[in-house]
Amino acid sequence: MSRGTGNGRRGGADTGNGARSGGGKGSGKGSGKGSGAGSGARSAPGTGTGTGGDGTGEAVRVVEEALKALYGNDDRALDTAASLLAAAPGADAELARRGEEFVRSLWTRGWQPADLVRMARRDLAEEHVRLLSGLVRAETARYERLPHRWQAQLDALEPAGWTADRFSYATGVLELYRLLVRLPRLDAVGPVPGEALPPPVAGEPKTLSRIRALLAKAEATTYAEEAEALTAKAQELMARHSLDEATLAAGAPSPETPGALRIGVDAPYEQAKAILLDAVATANHCRAVWSEGLGFSTVVGFEADLDPVELLYTSLLVQGTAAMTRAEAEQRAGGRKRTKSFRQSFLLAYANRLGARLSATSRRVAAEAPTLLPALATRDVAVTARTDELFPETRTSRVRAAWDEDGWNHGTTAADRAGLGARARGEID
């Protein structure tokens, strides 16, 4: 399926098979035409609890008339609607209330705060991101508790607020709302605000805290050998943590089912980044499916594996980007100009080589506990089944990239320095 269909791509670490795309429910880029929520994003006046209005009167009439411009393709209609809103200060509260309703409807259609911000940042401008941040904060303030991972997404929001003349402000609001009502439905990767939630867990698991601390040190150090040992220890902790969880699940009367999370895969070089994420996920008993048109990958796995996968991927991307920058500086010092093909080849080689090393570390750790292999196999089958349920149609597409031999060699060397082999075992406590 072609770019822009929103279908997932299951990335492969083999650079000849860069991404397998699948039939998720999303269709089209966020601001694409014809895939919108249409009237499904509308709620009856007066049902919101945000900043706005009593649901009757002139304010509602003005806002209803202005919002008709969201469902057409004529920018002149949007300008007319913005003029109408700019001339009606009494409609501001009702307009904000309707925005919160649009956001609320997206929760029920599979979207989360980070997903919305990603689309706004990609397709609109910084002022739209600020407007969205205000809507999301206002809408989520209604709930006593939020689903797991949502608070971290809220904490990462941009500051709300944008100062502009009334016409410019109304135009920005309408542009944002037009994006929101056209976003496709996604498969849910967790509960929706307002639904029954599992009991809250106090604090962060000890192992995850240790992994986080090791990777933070690896990113901060300027010494390749130290980063190598720290990152290797983090991957080993992840592998042993997964074994521990498999042991607990094997003795549980009702084992948990796999969950999922979305991780942004941003331009540039998003294909190489998707392959790197797939390598990290696969080595840690998860699956990753890349939705290229929507700018994220969905990682499917058991809950205990999902957060470590995100941590390691993010850290390896930071380390790889830093190594690429150093390699470019060395090349420029030698009088050779580096190009986009150098950077792309570097990151592809980095992802390809790391995939092999990550998997080797996981196999080595698993081999130390052969009695747990059946439990791990059972969990892998469950993860694969859940992935196929979410993405029943996937395909693998070949990487199309300009080739740069120096970039590939430097990327392979950087992956080797990331040090995920057995020799780093036990070096960092």
Side-chain angles (χ1 to χ4, degrees), residues 5 14 16 28 45 49 72 106 186 204 221 224 258 260 276 301 341 383 391 416:
T5 61
D14 179 353
T49 61
L106 288 166
L186 301 177
E204 187 176 70
T221 183
L276 176 61
S341 62
V383 170
F391 301 96
D416 287 337

Side-chain angles (χ1 to χ4, degrees), residues 37-362:
S39 59
R42 295 178 172 226
S43 301
T47 59
T49 61
T51 58
D54 60 3
T56 60
E58 181 66 11
V60 171
R61 186 196 67 77
V62 169
V63 170
E64 287 286 351
E65 184 65 27
L67 294 186
K68 292 178 182 178
L70 304 183
Y71 305 100
N73 300 321
D74 186 358
D75 285 340
R76 289 176 298 178
L78 202 74
D79 288 342
T80 301
S83 296
L84 181 65
L85 292 171
D92 291 354
E94 176 66 15
L95 182 65
R97 186 183 70 82
R98 293 301 296 270
E100 291 175 36
E101 288 182 351
F102 289 144
V103 169
R104 190 177 315 136
S105 74
L106 288 166
W107 303 156
T108 65
R109 291 166 49 227
W111 291 80
Q112 295 185 1
D115 303 322
L116 297 183
V117 170
R118 189 180 305 115
M119 297 303 295
R121 180 165 284 122
R122 188 189 70 174
D123 293 345
L124 298 173
E126 188 61 28
E127 57 264 27
H128 300 95
V129 176
R130 286 176 170 267
L131 291 171
L132 176 61
S133 296
L135 286 177
V136 170
R137 286 195 177 97
E139 206 294 311
T140 53
R142 305 170 61 243
Y143 308 101
E144 183 178 350
R145 284 185 56 210
L146 292 171
H148 179 49
R149 299 189 181 92
W150 278 56
Q151 188 58 54
Q153 296 182 37
L154 296 181
D155 292 342
L157 291 175
E158 293 288 333
W162 173 44
T163 302
D165 62 86
R166 287 193 59 80
F167 176 78
S168 298
Y169 188 88
T171 300
V173 170
L174 291 173
E175 288 171 340
L176 173 62
Y177 288 7
R178 183 169 59 180
L179 171 67
L180 296 181
V181 301
R182 294 181 177 189
L183 291 176
R185 180 177 293 276
L186 301 177
D187 287 292
V189 295
V192 174
E195 293 182 350
L197 300 174
V201 177
E204 187 176 70
K206 182 178 179 180
T207 300
L208 188 59
S209 296
R210 291 186 65 195
I211 293 169
R212 188 187 302 278
L214 287 166
L215 293 175
K217 291 179 181 178
E219 294 168 28
T221 183
T222 57
Y223 297 100
E225 294 79 7
E226 183 180 11
E228 172 183 341
L230 290 163
T231 308
K233 184 61 176 180
Q235 170 59 25
E236 185 166 323
L237 277 177
M238 289 171 63
R240 294 190 184 283
H241 180 57
S242 190
L243 283 179
D244 291 341
E245 292 296 321
T247 302
L248 293 173
S254 300
E256 62 170 325
T257 57
L261 63 79
R262 298 191 190 103
I263 299 175
V265 180
D266 301 316
Y269 318 116
E270 54 267 45
Q271 192 170 49
K273 294 174 183 177
I275 292 172
L276 176 61
L277 177 54
D278 178 79
V280 176
T282 301
N284 290 283
H285 309 289
C286 297
R287 304 290 181 270
V289 179
W290 181 30
S291 297
E292 182 180 3
L294 297 172
F296 59 72
S297 284
T298 303
V299 179
V300 183
F302 284 92
E303 193 63 34
D305 296 324
L306 292 176
D307 286 333
V309 164
E310 183 173 19
L311 282 174
L312 183 56
Y313 164 71
T314 302
S315 178
L316 289 175
L317 189 58
V318 169
Q319 294 182 55
T321 302
M324 181 179 67
T325 300
R326 290 193 296 269
E328 284 190 298
E330 292 173 3
Q331 293 293 301
R332 286 195 297 271
R336 286 165 287 184
K337 183 180 179 182
R338 291 300 94 202
T339 63
K340 180 179 179 180
S341 62
F342 174 89
R343 294 187 290 271
Q344 188 162 257
S345 296
F346 181 103
L347 289 175
L348 285 170
Y350 183 76
N352 187 57
R353 179 61 174 159
L354 272 176
R357 304 199 74 190
L358 287 164
S359 295
T361 298
S362 291

